[in-house]
Amino acid sequence: TMIAPEIPSEDTDTRFSSDTDFSEDPDGRSANTAKGKGGKKGKKAAGEKGKGGKGAGRINGHHQENGMENMMLFEVVNPVKSVVDDWIESYKHDRDVALLDLINFFIQCSGCKGVVTGEMFRNMQNSEIIRRMTEEFDEDSGDYPLTIAGPQWKKFKTSFCEFISVLVRQCQYSIIYDEYMMDTVISLLTGLSDSQVRAFRHTSTLAAMKLMTALVNVALNLSINMDNTQRQYEAERNKMVAKRANDRLELLLQKRKELQENQDEIENMMNAIFKGVFVHRYRDSIAEIRAICIEEIGVWMKLYSDAFLNDSYLKYVGWTMHDKQGEVRLKCLTALQGLYYNRELNARLELFTSRFKDRIVSMTLDKEYDVAVQAIKLLTLVLNSTDEVLTPEDCESVYHLVYSAHRPVAVAAGEFLFKKLFSHREPEDEGAPKRRGRQSPNANLIKTTVFFFLESELHEHAAYLVDSLWECGAELLKDWECMISLLLDDPLPGEEALTDRQETALIEIMLCTVRQAAECHPPVGRGTGKRVMTAKEKKTQLDDRTRITELFAVALPPLLAKYAVDAEKVTNLLQLPQFFDLEIYTTGRLEKHLESLLRQIKEIVEKHTDTEVLESCSKTYHALCNEEFTIFNRVDIARSQLLDELVDKFNRLLEDFLQEGEDADEDDAYQVLSTLKRITAFHNAHDLSGWDLFTSNFKLLNTGIENGDMPEQIVIHSLQCTHYVILWHLAKLSEGSSRKDDMVTLRKQMRAFCMMCQRYLTNVNTAVKEQAFTILCDLLLIFSHQMVSGGREHLEPLVYSPEDSLQSELLSFIMNHVFIDQDDDTNSTDGQQDDEAVKIEALHKRRNLLAAYCKLIIYCVVEMRTGADIFKQYMRYYNDYGDIIKETMSKTRQIDKIQCAKTLILSLQQLFIEMVTELGHGFDRSSSAFCGIKELARRFSLTFGLDQVKTRDAIAMLHKDGIEFAFKEPSPQGEGGPPRNLAFLDILSEFSSKLMRQDKRTVHMYLERFMTFQMALQREDCWLPLISYRNSLQAGGDDDTMSVMSGYSSRGSSVRSKKTKPPVVTESSSSSEVWQQSMQTPVMMPSPHLTSTAMRDPKRARDDSFMGTPQHHQASMDYNRRGTGLMEEDEEPIVEDVMMSSEGRMDDLNEGMDFDTMDIDLPPSKNRRERSELKPDYFDPSIMDESPVLFGL
């Protein structure tokens, strides 16, 4: 059975009403809509279940009249066909009663509780009935059946649409032609669709459009019957006179006449709905209503193309493709897809395609990804119909989308690309043997892929290209045999060989296809989380890995031998073994190929010094050295032999190099450096603890410090190698299997190495200093107090906390190497493009340095107050480091709110002192420097968010420190003049809005302790900061019992407004005690140093804080009131301006323009959400306070 949700009765809390103005139609359009063919369109929703058990004489809370049944049509739960059949029987018995039931069905499906009585039906016009029903709506809620969420209400909509369809289908042979039932329904729906009540308009539009679709089906059947009758008539008439049956001819003529009359009737009904409903509602202000219209006109054109597939109807879809709402644009594209899918209709779409093709192409870049995907799919269908429509420029605009980060867009673009470039294969002779390798049909297609990849000039995105083509071209992309043949085999006679650049691209694409097949997930940046693979996908993955191993285990050694000197090609080829099924080396008896691979890797290590190549070799050895497989011993022996040779060579060369000292030539230094680079690359992935590399490297670094002439690259790689030694030693100790002597050794080595890195922070070479700084930050973080967490208490002797001198040096390094102008950090003279690339790379490096130091602040390795020097750069370097600094502030606030607030105010004080030092004490408070500090304070204030309870103590402490700083220094003008830092109060006033009302009074009292009686009387300009700060504390703070119920009144319901007022808030004793105990600074006496940690103990802060329940209520209300003010500024009006709701109004707006010729342009409205996307407020407190985004620390 088809069960729809029940509509609550009057005594329930849930109400259905419109969120629009319920005014009458001012032009009386509905009143002129007679119950006839010319009636206008309407809307409605489907049959659903109501409450049983109502009084026998009431329906939906209203008394029934005219013998109506207890259960109305709206409330039935029987199958739709059965319901329709019962209604038809009722209609045949008494059509007025049945129609009244149907009318109430539409009214109730709109969520209206009103009931149309028999008297109203007989004596009132539609406009009067609709006005009466409007008055029955409950205005407390904007919900109605079509907008309520939940599976039951989705079923309601489906049942409603099915009811209308079945009703017309069951009545199509008689009742719909009685000039009463359809005329009445169409007239009602037309009037309802013109209502300013959204629920009526939405429901009646849906009903009218579904009614139109049902009539289109009837018209199509009539057309088919007429064609059949005409053929029968022609066949009978063409017979010889003797064989002709005149009676049959007359019957066929009569039948054709009846069918023609019926078709005329149906056309009149469809015309009434189209002109009365569609023409107006496809421009409705509500996107859902516009989407319904476009969806249904697409169905009409597809079902009955002879009648509807022409430019008179297509233009509505074309115009609406410019709609401001994505869901409407989406309906346009899906409607067109149904038309372009049928190639027989292409001829009728030529004019439309030429007119709107550019718009469809532009929609591939739609801001709504779903719309962009469907636009690309539509262009793919256009491409299938004809190759001549889309120009090369049109195709290129789709091609580049294969590199989109949004996977559905990229996959759709990949299908378009595959159809355009790869769908034309060379035909194969059926009897001939299948061609393989570079002779296979895929060879040219693989070359085409390479050419496309190179021409796109996005070489680093091969993985994205492969992923985009994977779903439609996996067979082509997994033809690795052909790829190998193109790389290894000689070209065929007359065939052009691949260039070096093309071979490089082919190897990269081949690697990406292998990775995609072996890992079965999209590349980084395109994944949507881990997806559970099906059994079929797992089997395909295993089969592909087996095939990859069998092919490349044999082909990889010769490929490495051929391209051994090409670093880029070798780097990609060496990644292939990571995706092998290593068991196949044994089961497939491929050991000789393994030996060949190991020889090639060893030769590559000996030939290359490029870091990427060496790291690829190291990773390959790591992948092959898997103890689970029988090949482990063989690979381990080869690795050990290689490392023995490298370490012995390094020790021998280093000894000679250090002995020669200043006499060492460049060749000696190069030999040491190249060997050290190889060892460092292997130490990254392999434990080389068996070779004592710490001693030799430390000796090298110490010599570099003493002599000062060590080549920078040798120092950089020696620092990195020593860092790896420390980390591998720590990894062993973390397992808990080492001896105590090992712990002592590591502690000594780590501390000695940290001191060595600290000494290198003063090196003359910038690259060396940056390497030392990065390693030092990593070591301090790794060996911080947090290393003992997680059950690793045995590592406590290794914990290392940096001394003040080291913290100072690290901070100085950041200030001198990170917060600098861009032009000071680049020496590029190789042209504008290269210069720009160098600047980007330099900025990326500086960001990493800053992030490394900020991690030390966040994890409490260095004191939080050192962050003041970082925070004060927030505004000046916002474009470069704003996200890092803001996230650091957020994390420090989570650790200790009070200490974070003290750090923020300290940063402002430092900036103020710097400004006074530069400009003097008589500076102009309108100067850019002072205004910049005020703006920074405003930004800091916004980071505290809107929850005043959470930040209460922190804000109070911030004001305390600020007041003490302002009065700390006496007046340079002598007694009677303003204190030296009094202008700082102007900056401090930016935080006054974050104080709760009762706290403002307390802060004001604390301020008065620093003020003399004469200060309070001063009105000169130099005292304005004190006056403005006092005013900011007094605003809203004089009356703690001020009513805050207005925060509820504007949004809360009448029920909520009747709740008991919060208790009167008075200043708690704990509040006074906190201020009395912690703020006893006498007037004009020196306060503690800026770095004081007074009131830092979080436990005491919690105990002494003013966190009573009444204050919490007041804070939340203040938050609501603030939110209301913001919403009043941004929200769109509740009363809807319904487009095309009145002919008269539209005549005024459009000056009599013809709907059929009007080009619809619906520019995007700048509502609150869209404005925020156009002009994002990076300092929105709600964004910063809730779910902060981690930056890559």
Side-chain angles (χ1 to χ4, degrees), residues 755-770:
M755 293 180 63
M756 182 67 69
C757 290
Q758 183 177 356
R759 295 172 69 186
Y760 268 104
L761 286 177
T762 58
N763 191 277
V764 294
N765 189 282
T766 302
V768 171
K769 287 190 288 188
E770 289 176 350

Side-chain angles (χ1 to χ4, degrees), residues 847-915:
R847 284 175 58 85
N848 286 338
L849 294 174
L850 178 60
Y853 184 78
C854 287
K855 281 191 287 187
L856 300 182
I857 298 175
I858 290 173
Y859 289 97
C860 303
V861 178
V862 299
E863 293 187 24
M864 190 181 295
R865 62 184 176 83
T866 62
D869 291 278
I870 307 294
F871 296 162
K872 70 183 182 183
Q873 308 291 340
Y874 184 55
M875 288 290 294
R876 183 178 178 186
Y877 293 96
Y878 178 78
N879 291 334
D880 292 342
Y881 317 117
D883 55 338
I884 298 177
I885 297 175
K886 184 167 72 171
E887 186 62 25
T888 305
M889 284 190 286
S890 174
K891 292 297 183 184
T892 53
R893 183 174 291 116
Q894 294 176 21
I895 297 170
D896 189 335
K897 293 184 178 67
I898 292 180
Q899 189 60 30
C900 176
K902 292 172 73 70
T903 304
L904 291 178
I905 200 67
L906 176 61
S907 66
L908 294 173
Q909 292 167 2
Q910 290 177 355
L911 285 174
F912 184 84
I913 293 173
E914 292 171 7
M915 180 196 66

Side-chain angles (χ1 to χ4, degrees), residues 457-476:
E457 297 181 356
L458 292 168
H459 302 173
E460 68 275 19
H461 294 314
Y464 276 23
L465 173 62
V466 168
D467 181 55
S468 300
L469 295 172
W470 194 255
E471 292 188 7
C472 57
E475 179 185 356
L476 168 67

Side-chain angles (χ1 to χ4, degrees), residues 995-1002 1004 1031-1045 1061-1067 1111 1114-1115 1118 1121:
L995 283 168
M996 297 179 68
R997 283 194 182 86
Q998 56 267 41
D999 295 345
K1000 284 185 178 181
R1001 174 184 292 180
T1002 309
H1004 187 266
N1031 291 339
S1032 70
L1033 295 177
Q1034 291 172 345
D1038 293 337
D1039 184 9
D1040 287 344
T1041 63
M1042 181 186 302
S1043 171
V1044 292
M1045 292 308 294
K1061 281 189 177 182
V1064 173
V1065 179
T1066 58
E1067 191 175 329
Q1111 291 88 336
Q1114 186 158 354
D1118 187 58
R1121 188 170 67 253

Side-chain angles (χ1 to χ4, degrees), residues 486-501:
L486 287 171
L487 292 170
L488 290 178
D489 297 345
D490 295 331
L492 300 173
E495 180 186 6
E496 187 176 352
L498 294 176
T499 65
D500 179 72
R501 185 163 173 258

Side-chain angles (χ1 to χ4, degrees), residues 423-442:
S423 57
H424 306 294
R425 294 172 176 256
E426 298 179 7
E428 293 191 57
D429 298 333
E430 292 186 2
K434 186 175 182 180
R435 293 178 293 169
R436 308 180 71 85
R438 69 187 309 139
Q439 299 182 16
S440 71
N442 284 339

